[in-house]
C-alpha cells in the first residue's frame, strides 16, 4: 500500500518502546510512525503520526490479509506483535537499547521470527530528518541504508530503493529470523549484530528493574506496566521525566489544542516519583533532585513549570506549518510556551517529594537543603500573587485554589524538614484561613477553582491527599459538585469554564483517578472502587493510557501520558490501603500513606538493595 493511501491510526492503536533516552510508537499494523531516537525532544526520525504523507515511517507487515495480536514481554518494555495469515504465523519484536560506550550498538531493533507455516511480509523504511520539508535522498546498498540527517540502517536482508523508500520482501517460515537495526553512529564497518543477544540484554535490564516492586497483589502486572511506562519516560542522563513522548496529538480532533509534551514538568515528575516510591522504586528520585538543584541554583530558585530533559535546551514554541497534524489537527508544535508561565504549585510538589524522601529514610544533601529552603522562602513571599495555574490556560493569571493548597503543602513540608521559621508558619496559617473562607463558594459551600469565582475544578480534589485540613462537609460538597458538573460516567473533565482557547477538550484521566482517591477518603469505598474498575477497562490492549478520552471512548492527547499512569498506579494503591484500614488509613500526607503497609504491599525504605534501579542507571 502506498503511504498516502493509509489513513491515520487511532491513538489507541499505538504501543510504546523506549530506552531511557528516546522512544518510539509502534502501530498495530507494524509501522513505527513516531520515533525520537536519541532524546525525547530530539527531531523525529519517523513522524507519520503527524502527517501521513510527509512523515517518515518504518513498517513491517504481511502482504496478505491477516489477524493481529500483541503484548509486551512480561516485566519489560519489549513489544511483540503477532501476525497470522491463512498460510503462517510470524512475530515482530520491537525494542530499544541504551547507548553503549564501546563498540557501536543499535538503539532500535526489529526482529521478525517465523512461528508456523510460511508468510510473506514487506518492509518499508522511509526515514525523515526531523520536520524537514522533503524526504532525504536514500543511499541503498543491499543490507545498508543511509540518508543525510537520519540514523544508519543495517539489516540481514537486502533492500532496494522504490519511490523514495527502501523496500524489502521477506519470506518467513518456522524457525527463520530477520533483524533490522537503527544506529545513531556510523555502522558501515560492522556486521549485523545477533538479535537474540540484544533481546536478552534488553529483557534482563527491564526485568532486573521490575524486581524492586514491593506490591504483590491482584493488579501486580497492570501496575508494573504503568511503572514501566514511567521508567521509560525518564531521561537516564539527568533523571528528568517527560510528560509524554509525543508532540501535538490533539485534545480535540481538528482543533488547536495541540502541545509538545516531550519536556519535564516538575509537578508531573514529582507526582510520578511519589507513585514510583510508593510502589517500591525509591532510587529514581535521587537523580531528579540533582536535576532540580542544578536548575534551581542556575535560575536563582525561580522555577519554571517545565524544562528540557537536560535542563538547558531551548523550548521556544514554534509551528511546523507544512505538517497537517494527526487527522488534520493543526498546528503541529515544537517547544512549549508554557515554559514562560508562573505556576507556583510546583514548589509544593518539589518540597513534598523531598519530605517523602526523608520520611522513607533518605537524607538530603546540603545542596538540596539549600534548594528546599529557598523554595519555601519564595512561597512565603509570593503566595498571594496570581499565577497561571497547573492547567496552563492562555488567560491572565489569577489566584487558583489548587496553587494555594500546594503553597500550604510547601510550607508545611518545609517546616517539618527545616524547622519552624516564623515567616513560614505565619504564611501557612494565612493560606489555610484564605482557603477555608474565600475559597469556599458562599452559597453552595464547595471549593472553587479560583478565589472569588464560581467555577468548579477537579484539581482541588487533591486537598486531603496532601494533608490539607479541609472540612469534611466542604470536601464532600466539592466532590458531589465535581461529579454533577464535570463527570461523564467514570470520566472527569478538568473544568468546563473558559480557558482562553477555542474548542472543547476531552475528559482528563488523572482527574478521574483523583476522584477515586477523594471518594475513598470520604469513605465512599464502593463508589470509588466501581469508578476505578471502569477506568481500568479503558486502557488499550497493551495497558497504555492517553492524556484524555473523548466521551465516545476515543483516545486524545499526547500518548502515553505519565499523568494518567501515575494516577492509575496511585489510585490502585489508595484502594488497597482503604480495603485494609478504611478511611483512617488514608489520612495525612503521601508519605504517611506510603509508610502504611497492607497484605499486598510493604512500605519502601531508602537504603534497601535497590539493585535493579541502580543497574538501570548504569
Amino acid at each position: 500500500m502506498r503511504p498516502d493511501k493509509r489513513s491515520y491510526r487511532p491513538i489507541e492503536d499505538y504501543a510504546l518502546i523506549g530506552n531511557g533516552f528516546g522512544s518510539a510508537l509502534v502501530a498495530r499494523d507494524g509501522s513505527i510512525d513516531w520515533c525520537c531516537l536519541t532524546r525525547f525532544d530530539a527531531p523525529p526520525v519517523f513522524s507519520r503520526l503527524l502527517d501521513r504523507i510527509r512523515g517518515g515511517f518504518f513498517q513491517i507487515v504481511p502482504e496478505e490479509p491477516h489477524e493481529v495480536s500483541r503484548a509486551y514481554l512480561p516485566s519489560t518494555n519489549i513489544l511483540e506483535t503477532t501476525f497470522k495469515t491463512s498460510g503462517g504465523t510470524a512475530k515482530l519484536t520491537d525494542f530499544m537499547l541504551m547507548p553503549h560506550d564501546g563498540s557501536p550498538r543499535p538503539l532500535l531493533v526489529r526482529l521478525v521470527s517465523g512461528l508456523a507455516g510460511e508468510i510473506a511480509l514487506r518492509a518499508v523504511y522511509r526515514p525523515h530528518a526531523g520536520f524537514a520539508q522533503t524526504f532525504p535522498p536514500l543511499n541503498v546498498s543491499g543490507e545498508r541504508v543511509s540518508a543525510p540527517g537520519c540514523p544508519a540502517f543495517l539489516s540481514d536482508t537486502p533492500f532496494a530503493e522504490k519511490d523514495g523508500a527502501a523496500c524489502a520482501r521477506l519470506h518467513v517460515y518456522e524457525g527463520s529470523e530477520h533483524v533490522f537495526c537503527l544506529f545513531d553512529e556510523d555502522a558501515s564497518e560492522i556486521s549485523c549484530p545477533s538479535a537474540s543477544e540484544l533481546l536478552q540484554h534488553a529483557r534482563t535490564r527491564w526485568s532486573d528493574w521490575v524486581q524492586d516492586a514491593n506490591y504483590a497483589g491482584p493488579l501486580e502486572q497492570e501496575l508494573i506496566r504503568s511503572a514501566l511506562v514511567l521508567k521509560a519516560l525518564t531521561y537516564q542522563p539527568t533523571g528528568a521525566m517527560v510528560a509524554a513522548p509525543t508532540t501535538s496529538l490533539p485534545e480535540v480532533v481538528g482543533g488547536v489544542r495541540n502541545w509538545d509534551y516531550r519536556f519535564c514538568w516538575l509537578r508531573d515528575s514529582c507526582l510520578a516519583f511519589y507513585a514510583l516510591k510508593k510502589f517500591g522504586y525509591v532510587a529514581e528520585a535521587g537523580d531528579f533532585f540533582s536535576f532540580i538543584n542544578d536548575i534551581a541554583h542556575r535560575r536563582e530558585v525561580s522555577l519554571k513549570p517545565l524544562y528540557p530533559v537536560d535542563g538547558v535546551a531551548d523550548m521556544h514554541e514554534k509551528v511546523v506549518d507544512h505538517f497537517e497534524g494527526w487527522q488534520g489537527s493543526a498546528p503541529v508544535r515544537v517547544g512549549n510556551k508554557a515554559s514562560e508561565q508562573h505556576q507556583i504549585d510546583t514548589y509544593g510538589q518539589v518540597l513534598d517529594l523531598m519530605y517523602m524522601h526523608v520520611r522513607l529514610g533518605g537524607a538530603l544533601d546540603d545542596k538540596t537543603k539549600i534548594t528546599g529552603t529557598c523554595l519555601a522562602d519564595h512561597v512565603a513571599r509570593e503566595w498571594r500573587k496570581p499565577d497561571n495555574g497547573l492547567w496552563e490556560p492562555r488567560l491572565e493569571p489569577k489566584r487558583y485554589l489548587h496553587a494555594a493548597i500546594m503553597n500550604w503543602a510547601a510550607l508545611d513540608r518545609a517546616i517539618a524538614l527545616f524547622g519552624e521559621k516564623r515567616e513560614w508558619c505565619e504564611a501557612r496559617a494565612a493560606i489555610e484561613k484564605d482557603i477555608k473562607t474565600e475559597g469556599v463558594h458562599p452559597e453552595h459551600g464547595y471549593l472553587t477553582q479560583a478565589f472569588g469565582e464560581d467555577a468548579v475544578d477537579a484539581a482541588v480534589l487533591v486537598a486531603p491527599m496532601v494533608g490539607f485540613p479541609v472540612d469534611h462537609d466542604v470536601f464532600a460538597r466539592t466532590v458531589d459538585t465535581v461529579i454533577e458538573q464535570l463527570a461523564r460516567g467514570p470520566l472527569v473533565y478538568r473544568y468546563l469554564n473558559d480557558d482562553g482557547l477555542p474548542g472543547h477538550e476531552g475528559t482528563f484521566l488523572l482527574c478521574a483517578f483523583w476522584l477515586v482517591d477523594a471518594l475513598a477518603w470520604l469513605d465512599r469505598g464502593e463508589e470509588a472502587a466501581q469508578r476505578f474498575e471502569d477506568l481500568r477497562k479503558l486502557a488499550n490492549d497493551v495497558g497504555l493510557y492517553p492524556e484524555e478520552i473523548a466521551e465516545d471512548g476515543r483516545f486524545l492527547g499526547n500518548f502515553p501520558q505519565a499523568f494518567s499512569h501515575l494516577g492509575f498506579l496511585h489510585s490502585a494503591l489508595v484502594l488497597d490501603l482503604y480495603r485494609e484500614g478504611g478511611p483512617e488509613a488514608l489520612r495525612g500526607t503521601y508519605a504517611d500513606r506510603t509508610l502504611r503497609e497492607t497484605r499486598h504491599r510493604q512500605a519502601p525504605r531508602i537504603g534497601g538493595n535497590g539493585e535493579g534501579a541502580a543497574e538501570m542507571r548504569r
Side-chain angles (χ1 to χ4, degrees):
M1 178 186 295
R2 286 167 44 193
D4 58 352
K5 297 296 184 182
R6 177 185 183 264
S7 61
Y8 287 102
R9 302 293 92 182
I11 295 172
E12 52 266 34
D13 262 19
Y14 289 96
L16 172 75
I17 59 172
N19 62 356
F21 285 76
S23 62
L25 292 188
V26 186
R28 284 179 60 85
D29 63 357
S31 182
I32 301 180
D33 290 341
W34 180 258
C35 177
C36 297
L37 192 63
T38 57
R39 207 170 108 156
F40 295 111
D41 54 359
V45 175
F46 307 124
S47 50
R48 183 157 64 165
L49 182 70
L50 298 179
D51 196 304
R52 66 189 182 92
I53 297 174
R54 299 176 185 86
F57 65 95
F58 181 13
Q59 185 168 18
I60 301 174
V61 66
E63 291 186 330
E64 59 187 286
H66 56 276
E67 298 176 357
V68 180
S69 61
R70 59 182 184 168
Y72 285 105
L73 275 172
S75 301
T76 76
N77 280 314
I78 300 169
L79 180 70
E80 292 186 330
T81 303
T82 302
F83 299 116
K84 185 176 182 180
T85 71
S86 59
T89 304
K91 178 175 64 178
L92 172 62
T93 303
D94 288 307
F95 59 97
M96 294 183 72
L97 293 156
M98 295 175 69
H100 197 262
D101 292 335
S103 59
R105 184 165 74 185
L107 298 185
L108 190 153
V109 179
R110 313 197 80 182
L111 171 64
V112 175
S113 307
L115 300 182
E118 292 188 14
I119 182 171
L121 300 97
R122 67 175 182 273
V124 182
Y125 174 68
R126 197 181 196 195
H128 194 264
F131 293 104
Q133 294 271 3
T134 59
F135 284 97
L138 296 182
N139 179 13
V140 183
S141 179
E143 294 86 2
R144 302 174 189 273
V145 182
S146 61
C150 296
F153 176 91
L154 179 61
S155 175
D156 59 5
T157 302
F159 277 70
E161 192 274 334
K162 181 181 179 181
D163 297 329
C167 303
R169 193 168 188 265
L170 317 177
H171 289 280
V172 181
Y173 53 88
E174 184 176 350
S176 66
E177 289 188 343
H178 298 266
V179 62
F180 311 86
C181 301
L182 294 183
F183 296 78
D184 185 46
E185 52 194 321
D186 181 25
S188 60
E189 302 300 322
I190 67 173
S191 58
C192 199
S194 167
S196 58
E197 291 181 7
L198 296 175
L199 178 60
Q200 184 57 45
H201 179 78
R203 187 170 190 171
T204 297
R205 294 182 75 84
W206 289 119
S207 298
D208 285 350
W209 182 76
V210 163
Q211 290 176 5
D212 287 341
N214 65 352
Y215 172 90
L219 297 179
E220 181 176 5
Q221 291 307 310
E222 292 171 66
L223 299 187
I224 284 174
R225 174 55 47 213
S226 285
L228 281 164
V229 170
L230 297 177
K231 184 63 177 176
L233 296 181
T234 303
Y235 186 59
Q236 188 271 340
T238 63
M241 182 183 294
V242 297
T246 58
T247 178
S248 303
L249 289 178
E251 296 173 5
V252 56
V253 178
V256 300
R257 298 169 180 262
N258 320 316
W259 317 110
D260 193 346
Y261 274 18
R262 300 171 299 156
F263 304 112
C264 176
W265 272 257
L266 299 186
R267 170 200 311 108
D268 301 33
S269 295
C270 288
L271 288 169
F273 289 127
Y274 295 159
L276 284 175
K277 279 178 176 288
K278 193 168 186 178
F279 198 56
Y281 299 110
V282 297
E284 277 60 39
D287 289 339
F288 185 61
F289 284 142
S290 296
F291 177 76
I292 292 174
N293 284 335
D294 289 344
I295 61 178
H297 287 269
R298 188 169 61 249
R299 306 258 178 193
E300 298 180 351
V301 201
S302 178
L303 296 179
K304 292 183 177 181
L306 64 148
Y307 291 87
V309 291
D310 63 359
V312 296
D314 176 37
M315 288 187 295
H316 178 69
E317 188 172 290
K318 301 175 284 292
V319 170
V320 183
D321 290 319
H322 56 283
F323 265 50
E324 73 170 9
W326 182 79
Q327 292 196 1
S329 301
V332 169
R333 290 185 170 93
V334 176
N336 199 303
K337 191 175 181 180
S339 62
E340 301 170 12
Q341 291 187 350
H342 176 50
Q343 299 174 22
I344 198 169
D345 70 284
T346 298
Y347 295 71
Q349 304 290 2
V350 173
L351 280 159
D352 201 13
L353 185 61
M354 290 181 184
Y355 175 72
M356 175 183 275
H357 183 77
V358 171
R359 287 288 305 278
L360 297 188
L364 303 180
D365 60 26
D366 290 342
K367 193 173 184 180
T368 305
K369 290 176 182 177
I370 293 171
T371 297
T373 300
C374 292
L375 294 178
D377 286 341
H378 182 86
V379 171
R381 291 191 305 268
E382 303 290 328
W383 68 269
R384 291 183 176 85
K385 295 181 180 179
D387 81 327
N388 295 99
L390 84 163
W391 301 136
E392 301 172 353
R394 304 276 168 129
L395 296 170
E396 289 299 312
K398 60 176 68 175
R399 290 190 63 206
Y400 291 96
L401 246 71
H402 174 265
I405 291 166
M406 294 312 303
N407 289 168
W408 178 92
L411 297 169
D412 184 73
R413 306 307 186 262
I415 291 166
L417 288 169
F418 310 121
E420 296 187 356
K421 193 173 181 180
R422 180 177 59 82
E423 294 88 342
W424 298 349
C425 294
E426 291 176 352
R428 181 181 62 173
I431 294 169
E432 179 181 341
K433 181 180 178 182
D434 269 14
I435 293 172
K436 290 183 174 181
T437 54
E438 298 176 36
V440 178
H441 193 281
E443 181 180 355
H444 301 294
Y446 59 83
L447 295 174
T448 59
Q449 181 184 60
F451 288 99
E453 298 189 1
D454 298 328
V456 182
D457 189 333
V460 299
L461 295 176
V462 304
M465 306 311 286
V466 299
F468 181 78
V470 63
D471 179 83
H472 185 280
D473 292 340
V474 168
F475 191 66
R477 288 191 291 270
T478 302
V479 167
D480 289 338
T481 304
V482 166
I483 293 173
E484 177 186 352
Q485 297 191 25
L486 303 182
R488 303 293 186 271
L491 299 169
V492 178
Y493 286 99
R494 296 187 287 185
Y495 52 84
L496 289 175
N497 51 308
D498 176 53
D499 60 5
L501 291 166
H504 188 276
E505 68 178 22
T507 66
F508 203 81
L509 274 173
L510 179 60
C511 294
F513 288 118
W514 279 345
L515 180 56
V516 169
D517 301 344
L519 287 166
W521 189 87
L522 288 171
D523 200 18
R524 292 159 62 173
E526 290 186 9
E527 193 177 349
Q530 185 59 59
R531 283 186 171 274
F532 179 80
E533 286 303 312
D534 291 342
L535 292 168
R536 180 184 167 204
K537 297 172 185 175
L538 297 178
N540 74 358
D541 60 314
V542 289
L544 303 185
Y545 288 103
E547 176 188 23
E548 299 184 359
I549 295 182
E551 291 188 29
D552 63 6
R554 289 179 299 167
F555 282 15
L556 295 171
N558 286 302
F559 174 83
Q561 181 76 202
F563 250 171
S564 302
H565 282 279
L566 72 88
F568 174 70
L569 186 58
H570 185 263
S571 289
L573 298 181
V574 164
L575 290 176
D576 181 56
L577 191 58
Y578 174 81
R579 293 185 188 103
E580 294 273 324
E584 288 304 314
L586 304 184
R587 302 295 183 251
T589 66
Y590 287 112
D592 294 329
R593 290 186 295 277
T594 299
L595 288 167
R596 295 172 188 146
E597 297 186 338
T598 72
R599 74 188 74 178
H600 297 133
R601 191 187 69 86
Q602 296 179 331
R605 295 287 181 178
I606 294 173
N609 58 39
E611 292 172 356
E615 173 62 21
M616 278 296 289
R617 292 197 302 275
R618 286 199 287 270

